[in-house]
Amino acid sequence: MEVNWFLESRGPDGETVRRPIHSLPCAIGRDPSNDLVVNASGMSRRHALLDTDEEGLLRIVDLGSTNGTFVNRRRISGPRRLRANDVLHFGTAEFRITRVQEGVWGTPAAAPRQSELPRWAGDAVPAQARPDFDPQATTPLADEPPPVFPMQEMALEDLLGGVGLDVAVQPIIAGLDGRLFAWELLGRAQHPDLPQEPAALFELASRLGRECDLSQAFRRHGVSRMATQLQGARLFVNTHPKELLDDGFADRIARLREEVGLTTRLVVELPEPPTVDLPRLRELTARLRAQDIGVACDEWGGHEDAERRLSLLRPQFVKFDKRLMRGLHQADSLRQARVRDLVSEVLDAGAVALAEGIENEDDAELCRDMGFALLQGFHTGRPLPLEQAAALG
């Protein structure tokens, strides 16, 4: 048969790897007897089968695998026809099925034999390195550009389902007497196929349109664990800017608090600058306050309309951007004067000023003098696992 289908994946360095399908049926799995051997977590010994149906169209069938076969992120329950640019997942292995124009790969005699092709076991050969690769003849037939399929998509799905979700907490202290005032929840991951830090995780989630899902997963996991281990102090939780576009956001936060039995006062941090218009954001903050949920404006740096924002949103807390605060005692007089003026605006609005990013006593002392009532940073306490934080009281 002429080869006009191939499976496309990404190599370790991000290069495109294409594997032509020379014969059908094509069995896929971990066992060496398969036509395509894929050594990836979540892959069964005999996982799936590529074949044609009665009309000669390409289809895929799951062979009773443990973790399922997914087409375009949906698990299949029976034979499923495939089209060019469909995205396939077998466990954590990801491929895109791509079709090339008729006759591109030539006759079976001209094409490399299956035994000559490297099996997928982490040693895939980039398409450009194959002698039969023709860069002018591999344009997919689909009219739309091929979808992006991040290599860690299935691992992220695991994380959203609770596998590897973790959380740390960082103390927020009262500046004058050093007592614990609150904890801030910080999402983490303990998944072997994902980075631990939130920034990298949210970058991956944003490419899949799952930013809000990731934010909610971190918050639910952290609040649930906090409810059983730490009581008394306030609890600050983060949000993703896109969540603020959801009219049901405030109600969802309130339900979460009730579901886990959290008695600690909850404070929602709103990222700055907000991605929604001020009137809509004012309605959101009003709904949060009506349900006895605190509001903190995060990453505050002094916008042109800062006074209007403070008047409309009426936050209980204003967290100054760590980039503005770090090394403040060594900053020039203009920067220090700016921070002092901003603190005055916050206090005049009836809010509490919180300095974030405090890393030494000199900065802490200057912040106290400026009117900051709350301090947060490595100087006052590094992020801790919940178990360690609970032991501290």
Side-chain angles (χ1 to χ4, degrees), residues 70-111:
F70 293 75
V71 178
N72 298 327
R73 307 186 186 103
R74 293 180 179 273
R75 186 167 184 165
I76 63 174
S77 58
R80 167 69 183 268
R81 284 182 176 176
L82 297 176
R83 300 175 300 176
N85 292 327
D86 280 343
V87 177
L88 310 180
H89 289 98
F90 313 108
T92 58
E94 298 174 313
F95 296 93
R96 181 169 54 205
I97 185 75
T98 311
R99 188 174 188 177
V100 296
Q101 297 173 355
E102 293 292 335
V104 164
W105 297 100
T107 64

mmCIF file of all heavy atoms in Angstrom, residues 70-111:
data_model
loop_
_atom_site.group_PDB
_atom_site.id
_atom_site.type_symbol
_atom_site.label_atom_id
_atom_site.label_comp_id
_atom_site.label_asym_id
_atom_site.label_seq_id
_atom_site.Cartn_x
_atom_site.Cartn_y
_atom_site.Cartn_z
ATOM 1 N N PHE A 70 -7.622 8.361 23.655
ATOM 2 C CA PHE A 70 -8.312 9.638 23.530
ATOM 3 C C PHE A 70 -8.113 10.199 22.129
ATOM 4 O O PHE A 70 -7.000 10.158 21.592
ATOM 5 C CB PHE A 70 -7.785 10.644 24.549
ATOM 6 C CG PHE A 70 -8.108 10.293 25.982
ATOM 7 C CD1 PHE A 70 -7.417 9.277 26.631
ATOM 8 C CD2 PHE A 70 -9.106 10.964 26.665
ATOM 9 C CE1 PHE A 70 -7.707 8.954 27.942
ATOM 10 C CE2 PHE A 70 -9.405 10.645 27.982
ATOM 11 C CZ PHE A 70 -8.714 9.638 28.618
ATOM 12 N N VAL A 71 -9.178 10.718 21.553
ATOM 13 C CA VAL A 71 -9.127 11.422 20.278
ATOM 14 C C VAL A 71 -9.615 12.837 20.523
ATOM 15 O O VAL A 71 -10.747 13.040 20.976
ATOM 16 C CB VAL A 71 -9.991 10.729 19.204
ATOM 17 C CG1 VAL A 71 -9.957 11.527 17.900
ATOM 18 C CG2 VAL A 71 -9.500 9.302 18.963
ATOM 19 N N ASN A 72 -8.748 13.789 20.252
ATOM 20 C CA ASN A 72 -9.066 15.195 20.505
ATOM 21 C C ASN A 72 -9.548 15.408 21.935
ATOM 22 O O ASN A 72 -10.534 16.089 22.206
ATOM 23 C CB ASN A 72 -10.109 15.705 19.509
ATOM 24 C CG ASN A 72 -9.594 15.641 18.079
ATOM 25 O OD1 ASN A 72 -8.399 15.806 17.837
ATOM 26 N ND2 ASN A 72 -10.487 15.380 17.140
ATOM 27 N N ARG A 73 -8.804 14.775 22.860
ATOM 28 C CA ARG A 73 -9.000 14.922 24.298
ATOM 29 C C ARG A 73 -10.285 14.284 24.815
ATOM 30 O O ARG A 73 -10.692 14.540 25.940
ATOM 31 C CB ARG A 73 -8.936 16.403 24.715
ATOM 32 C CG ARG A 73 -7.676 17.108 24.238
ATOM 33 C CD ARG A 73 -7.565 18.513 24.779
ATOM 34 N NE ARG A 73 -6.423 19.173 24.165
ATOM 35 C CZ ARG A 73 -6.523 20.075 23.194
ATOM 36 N NH1 ARG A 73 -7.704 20.433 22.763
ATOM 37 N NH2 ARG A 73 -5.445 20.621 22.681
ATOM 38 N N ARG A 74 -10.942 13.469 24.003
ATOM 39 C CA ARG A 74 -12.129 12.746 24.454
ATOM 40 C C ARG A 74 -11.865 11.244 24.402
ATOM 41 O O ARG A 74 -11.398 10.735 23.379
ATOM 42 C CB ARG A 74 -13.348 13.087 23.593
ATOM 43 C CG ARG A 74 -13.823 14.523 23.741
ATOM 44 C CD ARG A 74 -15.042 14.774 22.863
ATOM 45 N NE ARG A 74 -15.520 16.133 22.997
ATOM 46 C CZ ARG A 74 -16.376 16.546 23.921
ATOM 47 N NH1 ARG A 74 -16.876 15.674 24.781
ATOM 48 N NH2 ARG A 74 -16.762 17.803 23.984
ATOM 49 N N ARG A 75 -12.186 10.556 25.471
ATOM 50 C CA ARG A 75 -11.952 9.118 25.529
ATOM 51 C C ARG A 75 -12.946 8.406 24.627
ATOM 52 O O ARG A 75 -14.147 8.696 24.660
ATOM 53 C CB ARG A 75 -12.092 8.619 26.963
ATOM 54 C CG ARG A 75 -11.720 7.155 27.138
ATOM 55 C CD ARG A 75 -11.575 6.805 28.601
ATOM 56 N NE ARG A 75 -11.132 5.436 28.779
ATOM 57 C CZ ARG A 75 -10.655 4.953 29.925
ATOM 58 N NH1 ARG A 75 -10.582 5.752 30.978
ATOM 59 N NH2 ARG A 75 -10.259 3.704 30.014
ATOM 60 N N ILE A 76 -12.454 7.477 23.825
ATOM 61 C CA ILE A 76 -13.334 6.746 22.910
ATOM 62 C C ILE A 76 -13.835 5.484 23.602
ATOM 63 O O ILE A 76 -13.145 4.888 24.426
ATOM 64 C CB ILE A 76 -12.623 6.404 21.589
ATOM 65 C CG1 ILE A 76 -11.434 5.467 21.835
ATOM 66 C CG2 ILE A 76 -12.154 7.666 20.883
ATOM 67 C CD1 ILE A 76 -10.779 4.966 20.549
ATOM 68 N N SER A 77 -15.040 5.076 23.243
ATOM 69 C CA SER A 77 -15.637 3.869 23.816
ATOM 70 C C SER A 77 -15.852 2.787 22.774
ATOM 71 O O SER A 77 -16.286 1.684 23.099
ATOM 72 C CB SER A 77 -16.972 4.207 24.485
ATOM 73 O OG SER A 77 -17.855 4.804 23.550
ATOM 74 N N GLY A 78 -15.575 3.103 21.513
ATOM 75 C CA GLY A 78 -15.729 2.151 20.419
ATOM 76 C C GLY A 78 -14.876 2.596 19.255
ATOM 77 O O GLY A 78 -14.076 3.535 19.377
ATOM 78 N N PRO A 79 -14.987 1.948 18.098
ATOM 79 C CA PRO A 79 -14.212 2.373 16.932
ATOM 80 C C PRO A 79 -14.488 3.841 16.603
ATOM 81 O O PRO A 79 -15.634 4.296 16.659
ATOM 82 C CB PRO A 79 -14.706 1.441 15.819
ATOM 83 C CG PRO A 79 -15.246 0.243 16.542
ATOM 84 C CD PRO A 79 -15.829 0.767 17.808
ATOM 85 N N ARG A 80 -13.442 4.574 16.269
ATOM 86 C CA ARG A 80 -13.591 5.999 15.970
ATOM 87 C C ARG A 80 -12.829 6.325 14.689
ATOM 88 O O ARG A 80 -11.645 6.042 14.571
ATOM 89 C CB ARG A 80 -13.031 6.824 17.133
ATOM 90 C CG ARG A 80 -12.834 8.297 16.839
ATOM 91 C CD ARG A 80 -14.127 9.054 16.673
ATOM 92 N NE ARG A 80 -13.845 10.440 16.322
ATOM 93 C CZ ARG A 80 -13.718 11.427 17.207
ATOM 94 N NH1 ARG A 80 -13.845 11.171 18.495
ATOM 95 N NH2 ARG A 80 -13.472 12.654 16.799
ATOM 96 N N ARG A 81 -13.556 6.890 13.706
ATOM 97 C CA ARG A 81 -12.894 7.327 12.479
ATOM 98 C C ARG A 81 -11.961 8.504 12.764
ATOM 99 O O ARG A 81 -12.241 9.327 13.632
ATOM 100 C CB ARG A 81 -13.934 7.730 11.439
ATOM 101 C CG ARG A 81 -14.640 6.553 10.774
ATOM 102 C CD ARG A 81 -15.619 7.035 9.724
ATOM 103 N NE ARG A 81 -16.234 5.907 9.018
ATOM 104 C CZ ARG A 81 -17.178 6.042 8.100
ATOM 105 N NH1 ARG A 81 -17.629 7.262 7.774
ATOM 106 N NH2 ARG A 81 -17.679 4.980 7.504
ATOM 107 N N LEU A 82 -10.885 8.555 12.007
ATOM 108 C CA LEU A 82 -9.889 9.606 12.195
ATOM 109 C C LEU A 82 -9.811 10.490 10.955
ATOM 110 O O LEU A 82 -10.006 10.028 9.832
ATOM 111 C CB LEU A 82 -8.511 8.997 12.475
ATOM 112 C CG LEU A 82 -8.387 8.165 13.751
ATOM 113 C CD1 LEU A 82 -7.001 7.539 13.837
ATOM 114 C CD2 LEU A 82 -8.675 9.020 14.991
ATOM 115 N N ARG A 83 -9.505 11.744 11.200
ATOM 116 C CA ARG A 83 -9.266 12.711 10.145
ATOM 117 C C ARG A 83 -7.888 13.312 10.331
ATOM 118 O O ARG A 83 -7.304 13.242 11.418
ATOM 119 C CB ARG A 83 -10.319 13.822 10.187
ATOM 120 C CG ARG A 83 -11.753 13.337 9.999
ATOM 121 C CD ARG A 83 -12.720 14.484 10.190
ATOM 122 N NE ARG A 83 -12.587 15.045 11.537
ATOM 123 C CZ ARG A 83 -13.252 16.115 11.960
ATOM 124 N NH1 ARG A 83 -14.068 16.745 11.145
ATOM 125 N NH2 ARG A 83 -13.095 16.556 13.195
ATOM 126 N N ALA A 84 -7.368 13.914 9.270
ATOM 127 C CA ALA A 84 -6.072 14.582 9.373
ATOM 128 C C ALA A 84 -6.113 15.622 10.481
ATOM 129 O O ALA A 84 -7.079 16.369 10.626
ATOM 130 C CB ALA A 84 -5.724 15.239 8.041
ATOM 131 N N ASN A 85 -5.057 15.618 11.291
ATOM 132 C CA ASN A 85 -4.837 16.562 12.390
ATOM 133 C C ASN A 85 -5.591 16.211 13.664
ATOM 134 O O ASN A 85 -5.557 16.979 14.625
ATOM 135 C CB ASN A 85 -5.156 18.003 11.981
ATOM 136 C CG ASN A 85 -4.175 18.531 10.976
ATOM 137 O OD1 ASN A 85 -3.004 18.167 10.998
ATOM 138 N ND2 ASN A 85 -4.636 19.371 10.072
ATOM 139 N N ASP A 86 -6.259 15.041 13.714
ATOM 140 C CA ASP A 86 -6.789 14.591 14.991
ATOM 141 C C ASP A 86 -5.629 14.332 15.955
ATOM 142 O O ASP A 86 -4.568 13.842 15.553
ATOM 143 C CB ASP A 86 -7.594 13.301 14.823
ATOM 144 C CG ASP A 86 -9.003 13.547 14.312
ATOM 145 O OD1 ASP A 86 -9.465 14.701 14.402
ATOM 146 O OD2 ASP A 86 -9.632 12.598 13.822
ATOM 147 N N VAL A 87 -5.832 14.660 17.222
ATOM 148 C CA VAL A 87 -4.803 14.470 18.245
ATOM 149 C C VAL A 87 -5.133 13.216 19.047
ATOM 150 O O VAL A 87 -6.249 13.064 19.547
ATOM 151 C CB VAL A 87 -4.714 15.698 19.174
ATOM 152 C CG1 VAL A 87 -3.689 15.471 20.276
ATOM 153 C CG2 VAL A 87 -4.353 16.942 18.377
ATOM 154 N N LEU A 88 -4.159 12.314 19.152
ATOM 155 C CA LEU A 88 -4.348 11.030 19.827
ATOM 156 C C LEU A 88 -3.529 10.995 21.109
ATOM 157 O O LEU A 88 -2.403 11.493 21.154
ATOM 158 C CB LEU A 88 -3.913 9.873 18.925
ATOM 159 C CG LEU A 88 -4.457 9.856 17.493
ATOM 160 C CD1 LEU A 88 -3.926 8.633 16.756
ATOM 161 C CD2 LEU A 88 -5.973 9.883 17.486
ATOM 162 N N HIS A 89 -4.117 10.396 22.143
ATOM 163 C CA HIS A 89 -3.392 10.176 23.392
ATOM 164 C C HIS A 89 -3.516 8.713 23.774
ATOM 165 O O HIS A 89 -4.612 8.163 23.811
ATOM 166 C CB HIS A 89 -3.975 11.031 24.524
ATOM 167 C CG HIS A 89 -3.679 12.491 24.384
ATOM 168 N ND1 HIS A 89 -4.574 13.379 23.858
ATOM 169 C CD2 HIS A 89 -2.577 13.197 24.701
ATOM 170 C CE1 HIS A 89 -4.048 14.590 23.858
ATOM 171 N NE2 HIS A 89 -2.839 14.504 24.357
ATOM 172 N N PHE A 90 -2.360 8.111 24.063
ATOM 173 C CA PHE A 90 -2.295 6.753 24.611
ATOM 174 C C PHE A 90 -1.533 6.876 25.921
ATOM 175 O O PHE A 90 -0.308 6.996 25.912
ATOM 176 C CB PHE A 90 -1.570 5.800 23.667
ATOM 177 C CG PHE A 90 -2.013 5.891 22.229
ATOM 178 C CD1 PHE A 90 -1.188 6.463 21.271
ATOM 179 C CD2 PHE A 90 -3.247 5.411 21.836
ATOM 180 C CE1 PHE A 90 -1.591 6.551 19.958
ATOM 181 C CE2 PHE A 90 -3.660 5.484 20.524
ATOM 182 C CZ PHE A 90 -2.820 6.059 19.578
ATOM 183 N N GLY A 91 -2.229 6.862 27.057
ATOM 184 C CA GLY A 91 -1.545 7.161 28.301
ATOM 185 C C GLY A 91 -1.019 8.583 28.230
ATOM 186 O O GLY A 91 -1.744 9.527 27.904
ATOM 187 N N THR A 92 0.264 8.775 28.509
ATOM 188 C CA THR A 92 0.861 10.105 28.424
ATOM 189 C C THR A 92 1.486 10.375 27.066
ATOM 190 O O THR A 92 2.028 11.457 26.843
ATOM 191 C CB THR A 92 1.940 10.278 29.510
ATOM 192 O OG1 THR A 92 2.935 9.270 29.351
ATOM 193 C CG2 THR A 92 1.327 10.181 30.899
ATOM 194 N N ALA A 93 1.463 9.409 26.157
ATOM 195 C CA ALA A 93 2.028 9.598 24.817
ATOM 196 C C ALA A 93 1.040 10.367 23.947
ATOM 197 O O ALA A 93 -0.162 10.075 23.945
ATOM 198 C CB ALA A 93 2.355 8.252 24.181
ATOM 199 N N GLU A 94 1.544 11.327 23.201
ATOM 200 C CA GLU A 94 0.705 12.193 22.377
ATOM 201 C C GLU A 94 1.177 12.154 20.922
ATOM 202 O O GLU A 94 2.373 12.236 20.648
ATOM 203 C CB GLU A 94 0.759 13.627 22.884
ATOM 204 C CG GLU A 94 0.228 13.779 24.284
ATOM 205 C CD GLU A 94 0.435 15.190 24.814
ATOM 206 O OE1 GLU A 94 1.556 15.710 24.656
ATOM 207 O OE2 GLU A 94 -0.505 15.752 25.363
ATOM 208 N N PHE A 95 0.229 12.034 20.022
ATOM 209 C CA PHE A 95 0.519 12.032 18.594
ATOM 210 C C PHE A 95 -0.537 12.853 17.865
ATOM 211 O O PHE A 95 -1.654 13.025 18.353
ATOM 212 C CB PHE A 95 0.501 10.606 18.024
ATOM 213 C CG PHE A 95 1.562 9.702 18.568
ATOM 214 C CD1 PHE A 95 1.307 8.888 19.658
ATOM 215 C CD2 PHE A 95 2.822 9.654 17.989
ATOM 216 C CE1 PHE A 95 2.272 8.045 20.163
ATOM 217 C CE2 PHE A 95 3.797 8.809 18.486
ATOM 218 C CZ PHE A 95 3.532 8.003 19.575
ATOM 219 N N ARG A 96 -0.175 13.291 16.692
ATOM 220 C CA ARG A 96 -1.145 13.878 15.778
ATOM 221 C C ARG A 96 -1.152 13.020 14.521
ATOM 222 O O ARG A 96 -0.106 12.719 13.962
ATOM 223 C CB ARG A 96 -0.766 15.318 15.435
ATOM 224 C CG ARG A 96 -1.762 16.006 14.505
ATOM 225 C CD ARG A 96 -1.490 17.488 14.411
ATOM 226 N NE ARG A 96 -0.126 17.768 14.046
ATOM 227 C CZ ARG A 96 0.503 18.902 14.341
ATOM 228 N NH1 ARG A 96 -0.123 19.823 15.024
ATOM 229 N NH2 ARG A 96 1.754 19.096 13.969
ATOM 230 N N ILE A 97 -2.345 12.605 14.105
ATOM 231 C CA ILE A 97 -2.457 11.817 12.882
ATOM 232 C C ILE A 97 -2.498 12.797 11.709
ATOM 233 O O ILE A 97 -3.310 13.713 11.685
ATOM 234 C CB ILE A 97 -3.697 10.903 12.916
ATOM 235 C CG1 ILE A 97 -3.732 10.013 11.686
ATOM 236 C CG2 ILE A 97 -4.978 11.683 13.082
ATOM 237 C CD1 ILE A 97 -2.745 8.876 11.720
ATOM 238 N N THR A 98 -1.583 12.637 10.776
ATOM 239 C CA THR A 98 -1.452 13.576 9.669
ATOM 240 C C THR A 98 -1.413 12.820 8.355
ATOM 241 O O THR A 98 -0.831 11.732 8.267
ATOM 242 C CB THR A 98 -0.173 14.423 9.828
ATOM 243 O OG1 THR A 98 -0.124 14.936 11.150
ATOM 244 C CG2 THR A 98 -0.162 15.573 8.839
ATOM 245 N N ARG A 99 -2.029 13.404 7.359
ATOM 246 C CA ARG A 99 -2.078 12.771 6.039
ATOM 247 C C ARG A 99 -1.296 13.617 5.050
ATOM 248 O O ARG A 99 -1.355 14.840 5.080
ATOM 249 C CB ARG A 99 -3.526 12.634 5.581
ATOM 250 C CG ARG A 99 -3.678 11.820 4.305
ATOM 251 C CD ARG A 99 -5.137 11.595 3.988
ATOM 252 N NE ARG A 99 -5.304 10.665 2.881
ATOM 253 C CZ ARG A 99 -6.469 10.243 2.430
ATOM 254 N NH1 ARG A 99 -7.589 10.698 3.000
ATOM 255 N NH2 ARG A 99 -6.540 9.387 1.437
ATOM 256 N N VAL A 100 -0.566 12.938 4.155
ATOM 257 C CA VAL A 100 0.157 13.638 3.099
ATOM 258 C C VAL A 100 -0.485 13.323 1.769
ATOM 259 O O VAL A 100 -1.306 12.408 1.651
ATOM 260 C CB VAL A 100 1.649 13.243 3.086
ATOM 261 C CG1 VAL A 100 2.317 13.686 4.364
ATOM 262 C CG2 VAL A 100 1.820 11.750 2.899
ATOM 263 N N GLN A 101 -0.113 14.065 0.778
ATOM 264 C CA GLN A 101 -0.733 13.904 -0.528
ATOM 265 C C GLN A 101 -0.426 12.533 -1.115
ATOM 266 O O GLN A 101 0.607 11.929 -0.852
ATOM 267 C CB GLN A 101 -0.248 15.002 -1.472
ATOM 268 C CG GLN A 101 -0.661 16.395 -0.990
ATOM 269 C CD GLN A 101 -0.032 17.476 -1.822
ATOM 270 O OE1 GLN A 101 0.779 17.195 -2.701
ATOM 271 N NE2 GLN A 101 -0.406 18.720 -1.552
ATOM 272 N N GLU A 102 -1.366 12.058 -1.938
ATOM 273 C CA GLU A 102 -1.225 10.731 -2.546
ATOM 274 C C GLU A 102 0.106 10.617 -3.287
ATOM 275 O O GLU A 102 0.511 11.515 -4.011
ATOM 276 C CB GLU A 102 -2.363 10.480 -3.532
ATOM 277 C CG GLU A 102 -3.738 10.364 -2.879
ATOM 278 C CD GLU A 102 -3.853 9.110 -2.036
ATOM 279 O OE1 GLU A 102 -3.119 8.150 -2.334
ATOM 280 O OE2 GLU A 102 -4.659 9.100 -1.100
ATOM 281 N N GLY A 103 0.776 9.496 -3.072
ATOM 282 C CA GLY A 103 1.997 9.218 -3.815
ATOM 283 C C GLY A 103 3.250 9.825 -3.233
ATOM 284 O O GLY A 103 4.327 9.638 -3.779
ATOM 285 N N VAL A 104 3.126 10.540 -2.113
ATOM 286 C CA VAL A 104 4.299 11.207 -1.566
ATOM 287 C C VAL A 104 5.383 10.212 -1.176
ATOM 288 O O VAL A 104 6.552 10.391 -1.472
ATOM 289 C CB VAL A 104 3.893 12.049 -0.335
ATOM 290 C CG1 VAL A 104 5.122 12.433 0.473
ATOM 291 C CG2 VAL A 104 3.164 13.291 -0.806
ATOM 292 N N TRP A 105 4.948 9.128 -0.510
ATOM 293 C CA TRP A 105 5.932 8.190 -0.002
ATOM 294 C C TRP A 105 6.320 7.118 -1.036
ATOM 295 O O TRP A 105 7.167 6.276 -0.742
ATOM 296 C CB TRP A 105 5.392 7.495 1.250
ATOM 297 C CG TRP A 105 5.149 8.443 2.374
ATOM 298 C CD1 TRP A 105 3.964 8.979 2.751
ATOM 299 C CD2 TRP A 105 6.119 8.991 3.252
ATOM 300 N NE1 TRP A 105 4.126 9.821 3.806
ATOM 301 C CE2 TRP A 105 5.436 9.850 4.153
ATOM 302 C CE3 TRP A 105 7.499 8.851 3.388
ATOM 303 C CZ2 TRP A 105 6.088 10.555 5.154
ATOM 304 C CZ3 TRP A 105 8.141 9.551 4.389
ATOM 305 C CH2 TRP A 105 7.454 10.389 5.244
ATOM 306 N N GLY A 106 5.721 7.155 -2.206
ATOM 307 C CA GLY A 106 6.102 6.197 -3.239
ATOM 308 C C GLY A 106 5.501 4.828 -3.018
ATOM 309 O O GLY A 106 4.592 4.644 -2.227
ATOM 310 N N THR A 107 5.978 3.841 -3.696
ATOM 311 C CA THR A 107 5.462 2.479 -3.605
ATOM 312 C C THR A 107 6.081 1.773 -2.419
ATOM 313 O O THR A 107 7.090 2.191 -1.863
ATOM 314 C CB THR A 107 5.819 1.710 -4.886
ATOM 315 O OG1 THR A 107 7.247 1.622 -4.961
ATOM 316 C CG2 THR A 107 5.298 2.422 -6.114
ATOM 317 N N PRO A 108 5.475 0.648 -1.992
ATOM 318 C CA PRO A 108 6.038 -0.090 -0.860
ATOM 319 C C PRO A 108 7.493 -0.452 -1.062
ATOM 320 O O PRO A 108 8.275 -0.474 -0.121
ATOM 321 C CB PRO A 108 5.141 -1.318 -0.772
ATOM 322 C CG PRO A 108 3.843 -0.884 -1.376
ATOM 323 C CD PRO A 108 4.208 0.075 -2.463
ATOM 324 N N ALA A 109 7.869 -0.754 -2.308
ATOM 325 C CA ALA A 109 9.262 -1.136 -2.552
ATOM 326 C C ALA A 109 10.207 0.017 -2.291
ATOM 327 O O ALA A 109 11.346 -0.175 -1.875
ATOM 328 C CB ALA A 109 9.420 -1.622 -3.993
ATOM 329 N N ALA A 110 9.734 1.250 -2.568
ATOM 330 C CA ALA A 110 10.601 2.410 -2.392
ATOM 331 C C ALA A 110 10.628 2.882 -0.953
ATOM 332 O O ALA A 110 11.528 3.588 -0.546
ATOM 333 C CB ALA A 110 10.128 3.551 -3.287
ATOM 334 N N ALA A 111 9.608 2.508 -0.177
ATOM 335 C CA ALA A 111 9.530 2.972 1.201
ATOM 336 C C ALA A 111 10.357 2.068 2.103
ATOM 337 O O ALA A 111 10.552 0.891 1.815
ATOM 338 C CB ALA A 111 8.077 2.956 1.673
#
